[in-house]
Amino acid sequence: MSYLDVSYPREKGAFYALLREQLTLYCGGETDRTAVLANASGVLAQAFPQANWAGFYLVKGEELVLGPYQGKPAVSRIGYGLGVCGTAWKEGRTQVVEEVSCFPGHIACDCASRSEIVVPLRRPDGSIWGVLDMDSTLPAAFSQADREGLEPLTALLFRENDC
Ligand code: SME
């Protein structure tokens, strides 16, 4: 395996095609969930230079618990329905937050963060096992096009040893 820097194109179709390739390259042959998510956070941080935090929270009982990520230290547990992450879990849909100060209950891990995207992660049976979270210091750094691009890629991250 080579660990080359890649240059992501601006055009969303090409961008997400390359992101799929990179996630497949670094995660595709791996069965261990921690290793998959650790490398996925590295791939995401490289693909989204506007992100100051990129990683995962995993469902454990009634909470989301911090998983592999790249960025500053973060809150380790988030309750069901709380913050942007808990809301994505509770509502079962991606949250694209253009300005976090306008999101009721937003949990600030880094007060420099201005915008955020949180994508639920689903098992093949549709149940949610975690969320992908990316933050940015820029307002409106993530778009509905990113939601459309990221959602299908999350299927690449599921592994059976996720409990
Ligand atoms: N902002 C998130 C908390 C996680 S940190 O951003 C990494 C939220 O409101 O759920």
Side-chain angles (χ1 to χ4, degrees):
M1 180 183 286
S2 59
Y3 297 91
L4 299 174
D5 274 345
V6 290
S7 177
Y8 279 85
R10 290 178 66 86
E11 193 275 318
K12 289 288 182 186
F15 175 93
Y16 278 101
L18 181 56
L19 184 55
R20 175 176 286 277
E21 273 179 28
Q22 290 288 297
L23 288 170
T24 302
L25 175 66
Y26 288 107
C27 307
E30 180 54 65
T31 57
D32 183 85
R33 186 177 70 166
T34 301
V36 166
L37 297 183
N39 255 343
S41 67
V43 169
L44 290 168
Q46 188 180 39
F48 292 87
Q50 74 272 39
N52 62 333
W53 201 95
F56 300 93
Y57 282 90
L58 308 175
V59 172
K60 294 197 176 160
E62 296 303 307
E63 293 178 309
L64 291 168
V65 179
L66 184 62
Y69 73 94
Q70 306 238 334
K72 289 184 179 174
V75 61
S76 58
R77 290 174 186 264
I78 297 173
Y80 184 71
L82 300 180
V84 184
C85 292
T87 299
W89 179 22
K90 181 178 178 183
E91 295 187 359
R93 60 188 179 87
T94 297
Q95 308 290 309
V96 179
V97 181
E98 295 192 347
E99 181 52 70
V100 293
S101 62
C102 298
F103 189 97
H106 168 255
I107 299 165
C109 292
D110 181 344
C111 59
S113 291
R114 293 284 305 277
S115 61
E116 179 162 359
I117 186 168
V118 179
V119 184
L121 305 172
R122 294 183 183 278
R123 298 184 184 87
D125 69 5
S127 60
I128 292 175
W129 58 273
V131 299
L132 181 168
D133 179 12
M134 287 195 288
D135 300 345
S136 177
T137 57
L138 302 173
F142 308 103
S143 65
Q144 292 299 328
D146 293 313
R147 177 185 64 72
E148 288 171 14
L150 286 167
E151 283 177 347
L153 295 183
T154 59
L156 298 171
L157 306 176
F158 173 73
R159 295 296 182 273
E160 297 291 345
N161 64 340
D162 70 345
C163 49

